[in-house]
Amino acid sequence: MLTTKQRELLMFIHERIKESGVSPSFDEMKEALDLASKSGIHRLITALEERGFIRRLAHRARALEVIKLPDQATTAAPPKGRQNFVPHVVEGSKPQPAAKPVMEDGRELPLLGKIAAGVPIEAMGQERDRLRIPEAMLGAGEHYILEIEGDSMINAGILNGDYVIIKKTDTAQSGEIVVALVDGDTATLKRLRKKGASIALEAANPAYKTRIYNTDEVAVQGRLVGLLRKYH
């Protein structure tokens, strides 16, 4: 799922490349989307890149390549390694399209939607389903589930299509994987690093850059505590 602005920008880039063979400048993108500054374009480009819709071409100015459009799907690459986080994984089969992980003894948690860079926090407020999770994976506190979209955390063992179990909290230790709300409207799953008066949000994929923010630009929405995976 793309936001309206993400879709508008992706289609604008796609049409411009089709017409001229060259991607538009950031100033042209800003004017086309009627944004106040180029920082908003930078965030939209990063979101589209992390979700696999576009790619930056190295050593070329204004070089963007559209990899897929919103109605096209791709499969994330397999993980190349793992870092500090070792997820609790529940493995199961999916004999029919509607099947989902079900546990006899556990707690039902709400599945709130997909999490990826660029997804507005409002998208995670609508309960899509409920999944029963073993108590051993949870502990005390309130929890919810999000579906992963994209490959920005594959080296932490978190793949496209996985379900992550998130414990609601507004605090986290440096090095933990969290749901972070950036600038009050964009949620992403990243590893949090505290660097003095700044906060770094690290992807677990060398293809994506670490992003640095002021502490007042990032709010922790939850901490990763478990993971569910379905095998087709």
Side-chain angles (χ1 to χ4, degrees), residues 58-71:
H59 311 302
R60 289 174 54 187
R62 294 173 54 178
L64 295 174
E65 178 185 7
V66 176
I67 299 173
K68 65 177 181 178
L69 295 177
D71 59 346

Side-chain angles (χ1 to χ4, degrees), residues 62-108:
R62 294 173 54 178
L64 295 174
E65 178 185 7
V66 176
I67 299 173
K68 65 177 181 178
L69 295 177
D71 59 346
Q72 297 172 318
T74 60
T75 302
K80 300 178 181 177
R82 301 196 177 194
Q83 296 181 352
N84 295 333
F85 173 70
V86 179
H88 298 288
V89 179
V90 175
E91 301 180 358
S93 61
K94 186 184 179 186
Q96 298 183 17
K100 59 187 179 182
V102 177
M103 309 300 163
E104 291 296 331
D105 181 25
R107 190 188 318 172
E108 281 197 349

Side-chain angles (χ1 to χ4, degrees), residues 10-129:
L10 178 62
M11 297 311 298
F12 177 65
I13 294 170
H14 174 66
E15 293 299 328
R16 179 60 64 87
I17 292 174
K18 276 196 348 183
E19 292 173 2
S20 65
V22 180
S23 60
S25 68
F26 275 43
D27 284 322
E28 290 170 330
M29 296 181 208
K30 178 173 72 72
E31 183 176 349
L33 270 69
D34 194 26
L35 295 180
S37 70
K38 286 190 285 188
S39 63
I41 295 295
H42 280 282
R43 282 195 291 271
L44 291 172
I45 289 290
T46 298
L48 290 171
E49 183 183 21
E50 291 196 3
R51 299 179 69 186
F53 285 94
I54 63 173
R55 176 168 56 206
R56 301 179 204 239
L57 303 178
H59 311 302
R60 289 174 54 187
R62 294 173 54 178
L64 295 174
E65 178 185 7
V66 176
I67 299 173
K68 65 177 181 178
L69 295 177
D71 59 346
Q72 297 172 318
T74 60
T75 302
K80 300 178 181 177
R82 301 196 177 194
Q83 296 181 352
N84 295 333
F85 173 70
V86 179
H88 298 288
V89 179
V90 175
E91 301 180 358
S93 61
K94 186 184 179 186
Q96 298 183 17
K100 59 187 179 182
V102 177
M103 309 300 163
E104 291 296 331
D105 181 25
R107 190 188 318 172
E108 281 197 349
L109 300 182
L111 172 61
L112 299 185
K114 293 184 178 181
I115 178 73
V119 176
I121 194 67
E122 289 83 2
M124 300 194 304
Q126 304 296 322
E127 182 176 318
R128 285 173 32 190
D129 204 346

Side-chain angles (χ1 to χ4, degrees), residues 137-152:
M137 296 181 67
L138 301 177
E142 188 175 352
H143 297 72
Y144 57 90
I145 300 172
L146 299 171
E147 183 180 354
I148 295 295
E149 184 172 60
D151 63 354
S152 65

Side-chain angles (χ1 to χ4, degrees), residues 173-231:
Q173 299 296 317
S174 186
E176 290 183 320
I177 296 176
V178 303
V179 174
L181 183 66
V182 180
D183 290 337
D185 66 356
T186 300
T188 184
L189 185 80
K190 293 290 183 291
R191 192 181 300 278
L192 180 142
R193 301 285 186 191
K194 297 178 180 179
K195 299 178 179 289
S198 299
I199 289 179
L201 296 180
E202 297 179 351
N205 183 335
Y208 304 117
K209 295 180 180 178
T210 295
R211 303 293 171 178
I212 309 294
Y213 300 93
N214 295 326
T215 54
D216 60 355
E217 295 179 301
V218 176
V220 173
Q221 302 286 291
R223 177 172 56 84
L224 179 66
V225 297
L227 182 146
L228 303 173
R229 179 170 300 149
K230 294 184 291 187
Y231 287 90

